Amino acid sequence: MLIEKSLLKSKIENQVGVLFNKSIDEANEFEIYQGLSKALLETISKNWLETRKKYETGKQAFYFSAEFLMGRALGNNLINLGLDKEVKEILKEIGFDLNSVEATEEDAGLGNGGLGRLAACFMDSLVTLNLPGQGYGIKYKNGIFKQKIVDGFQVETPETWLRYGDVWTICRPCEEVVVEFGDGKVRAVPYDMPVIGYGTKNVNTLRLWEAKAMEELNLKAFNDQDYDEALKDVNAAEDISRILYPNDSTNEGKKLRLKQQYFFTSASLQDIIRKFKKIHGTDFEKLPEFVSIQLNDTHPVIAIPELMRILCDVEGLLWNDAWAIAQKTFAYTNHTILSEALEKWWIGLYEEVVPRIFQITQRIHFQFLDLLEEKFPKDKERRERMSIIQGNLIHMAWLAIYGSFATNGVAALHTDILKHIELKEWYELFPERFLNKTNGITQRRWLLEANPELSKLITELIGDKWITDFSQMKNLEKYVADEKVTDRFLEIKSEKKKQLAQFIEKTQGIKINPDSIFDIQIKRLHEYKRQLLNILHILDLYYRLKENPNMEIHPVTYIFGAKSAPGYMRAKGTIRLINEVAQIINNDPEIKDMIKVVFIENYNVSSAALLFPAADISEQISTAGKEASGTGNMKFMINGALTFGTLDGANVEIVEEAGIENNYIFGLKVEDIEELKKKGYDPHVPYEKTKGLKRVVDALIDGTLNDEGTGLYKELYDSLLKGASWHKPDQYFVLEDFEDFRKTQEKINKDFADRKVWAKKAWINISNGGKFSSDRTIEEYAKEIWKIASQKI
Ligand SMILES: *Cc1c(COP(=O)(O)O)cnc(C)c1O
């Protein structure tokens, strides 16, 4: 054991004394949380140090990401350290409940959604596999916003996870660096978060940078009583690490966002190079032998010209030598084919923010044009399509592919679309650079921690190896015909549904029936994810029930959770629509609780941990070809929910593993959409032809529903039937897919009645979830991209 129970207990007492000048019997739950966390940090500190020293001399991978959606740390760390039972007992002895203590921790909400959560799962897998891999990001003071629902509308309020500081994030003042912009310099102050692995002593590091002004205060201005002027530089610097742009579809707040990107990549590279020099001197040719840097989407791609600046301007290397090094150091992950999410910077802004980096980017651009001319002489059109600088825009994805040795997609279908459609010409140019790395999730957080009841059953049946080797899950399959196991599974599912029902009643005041089907769609709100399709179907079901009160259905609870980017009007309109339809249905006595609709406020990692284990149905209904992978789909699967979805992203691989007959696949496929587009798609056809569809679409504008004069519903209506200057009507095929959606929902509703058959399908999904562990994903990155090996202390 890592530490004796009595010793840990006294450490907690000491820490509560040091931090709060209180004895245990005087402390509250939040103070116990802090004292306990500090005691744990003290306990792991030697291992953390040893891990750093062990990694320093060998090859390391660095994961650059603008987002790390870590959630809470304490519960996960206790489980990974194997101390959860002891600490529960200690706290009980001193009069506290571990769950209540854990609940006082605020989520570290440093991410929008899937991309940020992936980075967090990767951190967990890296350390659990003892791999020398560290994260680099930004310590956003206010993270992603907190969502409140007021009159059905989303209202954003600031996230306050750092109000009293964060115990787990520790300042390293001696490793501060300076980052220079066109308009001056700022200090980048590093804070380290320990990343604790399961069943290992290794402790990895997530380093997050905070932006600070060079001078604490303009004292002269202050003495002249010009207080705004006195703090102007301080505020401008601190703005850089103030918030995460709550936006994964378009890029706004452009200048500050570019500053954030340059800020954290420059600081991280300076840090990496300084440490490299300490061990290897100035033998930079060796850099790719010791350093691999993964660029998580385009946000950190500015690191490529920044490394060129450091190598050429600071270290005095020749351009060509530096370029060869850079190309062998970076790898790039593509997360989307939505063109509005592929970042392009306007050259004027880029030059103003980072003038030297602009010059370097230009040189890379011209060098690339030379390469194109050599490979495809006189092919002017190709040159225009592939140019890194196109007109006034710098195309960061193109810069990434050219400036790296590997480009990967995040699911098999997505990588196929990249190779053969979206990045076809890039694949032609650099075929050896393209590879697939299907995303994964950590079973430690999403099964072991989130669903201890199911975890216990699994361990009883197949032992506990699955916790670090998820391929073991396959051994569960032989219990599929075991009635006792089926019953146990159904009991556990029922228990998790009751727990969620309690949470919903407590937090939202809505009573839901735990015996109803829990049909859950939780993910960022975006048109391509088609929450609109889901809610239009619910409204249609409601109307049909009103017309035909004797219609036989199994009761269903539809649960949504989603944040919308603050400026994304259609997404906000959809949230309002879901809440209004919920109001109407939940308060209609004629419906007799046959359907209920719940919108979970402020969907985040902590509420996710309650939702996934309680689901019967996992809604994964994106327009085929648009969801690169999805990871929510995997969390549902391993908790025994059946996927109701399109053949998109990792859904394809989920049904490959678990069988299409054990899930519910509907709707247009990628090829169908291509064909339909060629033929010319007119959404008026399904709108007129599909029974009941016109009624629910018209409800948006005929006075049935009321958006308080905001025009939000008219905007949704127009998006479906009129289109806009930038897109054709119903570009996400909501109306075309409606009929099959409804038919498949009807089948689900009927099938649910046979509880045993349903449970067996769920069990087969659980047994075949092995592939979707982020351990598998990280092993592939480590072997095939980073070339790093396990370094156990
Ligand atoms: C897993 C997860 C996501 C990603 O969900 P998708 O359905 O894959 O988009 C987003 N947010 C949170 C909090 C998550 O845990």
Side-chain angles (χ1 to χ4, degrees), residues 69 113-114 117 446 522-523 529 603-605 608 612 620 630-632 635:
L69 192 50
R117 185 53 229 177
W446 297 111
I522 41 176
K523 46 184 75 250
K529 292 180 183 274
Y603 173 55
N604 61 8
V605 174
F612 289 110
Q620 306 301 336
T631 49
K635 301 170 200 162

Side-chain angles (χ1 to χ4, degrees), residues 703-715:
T704 309
L705 299 167
N706 175 8
D707 65 7
E708 314 271 352
T710 54
L712 288 170
Y713 294 170
K714 173 75 164 57
E715 175 59 30

